Amino acid sequence: MSADEEKPSLPVSFEQLAELEDDFEQVDLEVTRHQDKLTKDLYVKREKIIANIPHFWNSVFEVAPEEFEHAFKETDGELLLSLKSLFVSRFDLPNGDPRSFSIKWEFEENEFFEDKVLEKKFIYRQSLKGDVSGLVSEAVKINWKPGKDLTNGLTDLVLKVEAEEKAGKGDEETEAKKELKKKIEDTPLGDLSFFTWFAFRGPRITEEEHKEALKKEEEKRQLRKAGKPVEDDEMEEDDEDEDDLFDKAYEYEPYPAADDQALCIAEDIWPDAIKLYLQSQEDDMLSDFEDLEDDDEDEDMEDSKAEPASKKRKA
Amino acid sequence: MSADEEKPSLPVSFEQLAELEDDFEQVDLEVTRHQDKLTKDLYVKREKIIANIPHFWNSVFEVAPEEFEHAFKETDGELLLSLKSLFVSRFDLPNGDPRSFSIKWEFEENEFFEDKVLEKKFIYRQSLKGDVSGLVSEAVKINWKPGKDLTNGLTDLVLKVEAEEKAGKGDEETEAKKELKKKIEDTPLGDLSFFTWFAFRGPRITEEEHKEALKKEEEKRQLRKAGKPVEDDEMEEDDEDEDDLFDKAYEYEPYPAADDQALCIAEDIWPDAIKLYLQSQEDDMLSDFEDLEDDDEDEDMEDSKAEPASKKRKA
């Protein structure tokens, strides 16, 4: 299944595809807006019901998609048992961008930190360089109890570097930066606590740059609609800019998977939470059952995970 | 991360969760309806542009999701090179069910079959047994050229069994059924052509049963809304009915993954086709580049697949 013969440049113009993709993107945004409006109250209602189920979110994360495989270390799991509520909201709606969202984690009193609520915002920003976008965030301060910092100082160091950048030392190689970089290098992935997620910052795209990029995009859109030629600034040098933008951010990012995990929460785990919870309960029951019947070889045991969810759809 | 202590029965009533899930499902349907309305014309426009790109869909399937891993055998690939167009439509909209859809495959003249168009419908049906739903389809006749049947008679046999069932011989153990069952058992997965996909039939849920099930569901919905108790018919014996419903269908189903693959086409491949095509071109370019630089060890080669798509979003 290969089409090696005809592959040179695209047989349709890049403009045509870009316009099409842009049209679809606009529709997607509109659909997300509509969906948010229709589901907002339902999620509030759901949260009230869920509040009566002990360890609901903990169970959900047990069967979360692959983005969360190996994400929770053993002590993370202990802390997660005190997670009382999780809430995703597209805070910029109804008038702003549906691609920005926040995830609010509510905890019971626990032995690890003082905080009752940790909220992290992911703001959609478009860059002027390389026509690239990303989710931008600020590091969230966690008030660890003495000796209980699961991130081993990583979150605090990121906060320090962030403060320095805000104070205009973005280009300086400060002590905190050096320390952070070394700590990132010295931390084995197997020791990295999930709670480092709260320190994620993402690419450095300011609100000003974002607005400028949106304006430029809208100008292009108007030119295209008018059938006029659009300046094509999408080529190789932009790819370099793009790599640069992300590499620079990731140098001081102890938890670079955070934005993908955040998207996974917002787009998969959050809407599917009840299904995932029921699946986790079914898995638990099955493994209890298997324990009971462990030495009964007549039984043809079926793993509930083996059957794809879409094959049997509960109405 | 285990909540073994509290697991017995659900701490909220099944009714509450069922009602909530039903509310969300209704919103989902409404959102799909809205989305279909907004994208319909765009997809037609896209198809016109795509028509100018040789082997577009072939390239898309090269980078399709895991549902299609190992799906295409070598000769399937040859045939797929003559695939000219693919079109998904939710034919039951605007007034009917957004969960039903059709996939229309258009082929150029080729050495394998006479057909120019193969269209397969997947109809959403709800069963009265076990509160289960599924995608129901009819086997599609492929007019193979002599000696060119890639499915080795499987599609024709399914058609024969289907005709017998329609003639009221559903419970008889006919010769065709025996032959089909044996052929299914004797065909190694590695030899199973993707084109057997067109023979998929799914669970036997009639339109009458479906309507009856919808009616029953609506009655339950009204009872719930009125705060009245709803008869709970969801327990173990239904799970058996449910297994029965699918097992019976799959006994004569040479290609049971067909509905999952159809959903994957309708929900992932179809909306993301341009992105997938661009990704396939990028992969090709990268592998050409790697061939060129094969013995240059200084180069730190990056695989475009290693970076999750969501990390860098082209605007």
Side-chain angles (χ1 to χ4, degrees), chain A residues 10 16 44 65 99 119 160 174 195 204 291:
Chain A
L10 286 181
Q16 278 180 295
V44 173
R99 288 165 292 198
E119 181 165 11
K160 205 167 170 184
T174 63
F195 287 86
R204 310 288 187 268
D291 288 347

Side-chain angles (χ1 to χ4, degrees), chain B residues 64-300:
Chain B
E66 55 178 354
E67 277 86 347
F68 284 90
E69 218 178 344
H70 311 301
F72 303 105
K73 305 303 173 291
E74 210 180 318
T75 36
D76 290 338
E78 282 172 41
L79 176 40
L80 225 52
L81 281 174
S82 69
L83 176 60
K84 212 164 64 175
S85 152
L86 186 88
F87 208 89
V88 173
S89 62
R90 305 202 176 260
F91 57 85
D92 215 12
L93 289 184
N95 300 316
D97 201 309
R99 289 165 292 199
S100 296
F101 59 91
S102 77
I103 307 179
K104 197 167 97 181
W105 308 64
E106 241 185 287
F107 293 88
E108 285 160 11
E109 180 76 42
N110 65 69
E111 59 172 306
F112 296 94
F113 51 58
E114 306 288 352
D115 310 271
K116 291 283 169 292
V117 174
L118 298 175
E119 180 166 11
K120 191 159 180 69
K121 284 187 177 185
F122 292 86
I123 300 169
Y124 174 83
R125 291 258 171 89
Q126 218 155 297
S127 167
L128 278 167
K129 300 179 198 120
D131 204 5
V132 152
S133 61
L135 290 172
V136 170
S137 191
E138 288 192 359
V140 172
K141 169 81 182 160
I142 302 181
N143 294 291
W144 299 103
K145 292 184 178 174
K148 289 292 188 180
D149 181 352
L150 295 178
T151 74
N152 189 26
L154 273 171
T155 36
D156 282 343
L157 264 176
V158 173
L159 278 156
K160 204 166 171 185
V161 169
E162 187 179 55
E164 286 176 354
E165 280 184 25
K166 279 185 186 166
K169 295 187 198 166
D171 292 324
E172 277 176 49
E173 181 80 355
T174 63
E175 282 310 307
K177 271 191 182 172
K178 275 186 227 162
E179 202 186 332
L180 174 56
K181 212 168 159 177
K182 186 163 181 339
K183 219 188 226 329
I184 291 174
E185 282 163 10
D186 292 350
T187 306
L189 263 184
D191 288 354
L192 188 69
S193 162
F194 169 74
F195 287 86
T196 321
W197 180 87
F198 285 97
F200 177 82
R201 299 179 59 205
R204 310 288 186 269
I205 309 172
T206 63
E207 197 180 340
E208 292 66 41
E209 181 177 347
H210 173 63
K211 280 184 180 160
E212 187 62 34
L214 285 189
K215 212 180 112 192
K216 231 177 113 181
E217 196 190 48
E218 183 56 30
E219 285 166 6
K220 278 194 200 175
R221 193 175 293 139
Q222 295 307 330
L223 281 175
R224 272 197 220 103
K225 290 235 164 88
K228 288 183 188 149
V230 179
E231 187 196 345
D232 188 0
D233 53 12
E234 306 270 336
M235 286 299 107
E236 278 163 51
E237 56 174 327
D238 280 332
D239 277 353
E240 276 168 38
D241 283 348
E242 182 183 317
D243 288 341
D244 212 49
L245 184 72
F246 281 86
D247 288 350
K248 207 175 153 186
Y250 290 141
E251 206 177 348
Y252 302 107
E253 196 80 85
Y255 204 94
D259 52 356
D260 285 333
Q261 289 182 342
L263 276 171
C264 175
I265 291 178
E267 293 176 357
D268 300 320
I269 295 178
W270 174 248
D272 290 340
I274 300 233
K275 280 187 198 76
L276 291 169
Y277 176 74
L278 292 174
Q279 190 192 323
S280 77
Q281 299 309 98
E282 223 173 278
D283 287 356
D284 281 355
M285 268 168 56
L286 253 169
S287 68
D288 287 357
F289 184 58
E290 276 169 8
D291 288 347
L292 278 173
E293 307 253 334
D294 221 5
D295 35 23
D296 183 346
E297 283 162 339
D298 297 337
E299 211 68 40
D300 186 14

Side-chain angles (χ1 to χ4, degrees), chain A residues 217-262:
Chain A
E217 196 189 48
E218 183 57 32
E219 284 166 7
K220 278 194 198 173
R221 192 175 293 139
Q222 295 306 331
L223 281 175
R224 272 197 220 104
K225 290 235 164 87
K228 289 183 187 148
V230 179
E231 188 196 345
D232 188 0
D233 54 11
E234 307 269 336
M235 286 298 107
E236 277 164 52
E237 56 174 326
D238 281 333
D239 277 352
E240 275 168 39
D241 283 347
E242 182 184 318
D243 287 342
D244 213 46
L245 184 72
F246 280 86
D247 288 350
K248 206 176 154 187
Y250 288 143
E251 207 177 345
Y252 302 106
E253 196 81 85
Y255 203 96
D259 53 354
D260 285 334
Q261 289 182 342

Side-chain angles (χ1 to χ4, degrees), chain A residues 1 62 243 256 260 310-311, chain B residues 1 62 256 260 310-312:
Chain A
M1 209 176 85
E62 276 178 26
D243 287 342
D260 285 334
S310 54
K311 189 116 287 172
Chain B
M1 208 175 88
E62 276 178 27
D260 285 333
S310 53
K311 189 116 289 174
K312 295 180 185 182

Side-chain angles (χ1 to χ4, degrees), chain A residues 122-155:
Chain A
F122 293 86
I123 301 170
Y124 174 84
R125 292 259 170 89
Q126 219 155 296
S127 168
L128 279 166
K129 301 180 199 119
D131 204 5
V132 152
S133 61
L135 290 173
V136 170
S137 191
E138 288 192 359
V140 172
K141 168 81 182 160
I142 302 181
N143 293 291
W144 299 103
K145 292 184 180 175
K148 290 292 188 181
D149 180 353
L150 295 178
T151 73
N152 188 26
L154 273 170
T155 36

Side-chain angles (χ1 to χ4, degrees), chain A residues 76-184:
Chain A
D76 290 339
E78 282 173 41
L79 176 42
L80 226 53
L81 281 173
S82 68
L83 176 61
K84 214 164 64 176
S85 152
L86 186 88
F87 208 91
V88 174
S89 62
R90 305 201 176 260
F91 57 86
D92 215 14
L93 290 183
N95 301 316
D97 200 308
R99 288 165 292 198
S100 297
F101 59 90
S102 77
I103 308 179
K104 197 168 96 181
W105 308 65
E106 242 185 286
F107 293 88
E108 284 162 12
E109 180 75 40
N110 66 68
E111 57 170 308
F112 296 94
F113 51 59
E114 305 289 351
D115 310 271
K116 291 282 168 294
V117 174
L118 297 174
E119 181 165 11
K120 192 160 178 67
K121 285 188 176 185
F122 293 86
I123 301 170
Y124 174 84
R125 292 259 170 89
Q126 219 155 296
S127 168
L128 279 166
K129 301 180 199 119
D131 204 5
V132 152
S133 61
L135 290 173
V136 170
S137 191
E138 288 192 359
V140 172
K141 168 81 182 160
I142 302 181
N143 293 291
W144 299 103
K145 292 184 180 175
K148 290 292 188 181
D149 180 353
L150 295 178
T151 73
N152 188 26
L154 273 170
T155 36
D156 283 341
L157 264 176
V158 173
L159 278 156
K160 205 167 170 184
V161 169
E162 189 179 55
E164 286 176 354
E165 281 184 24
K166 279 185 185 165
K169 296 187 199 165
D171 292 323
E172 278 174 48
E173 181 79 354
T174 63
E175 283 308 308
K177 272 190 181 170
K178 277 186 226 162
E179 204 186 332
L180 173 56
K181 211 168 160 178
K182 183 158 181 349
K183 219 186 225 332
I184 291 175

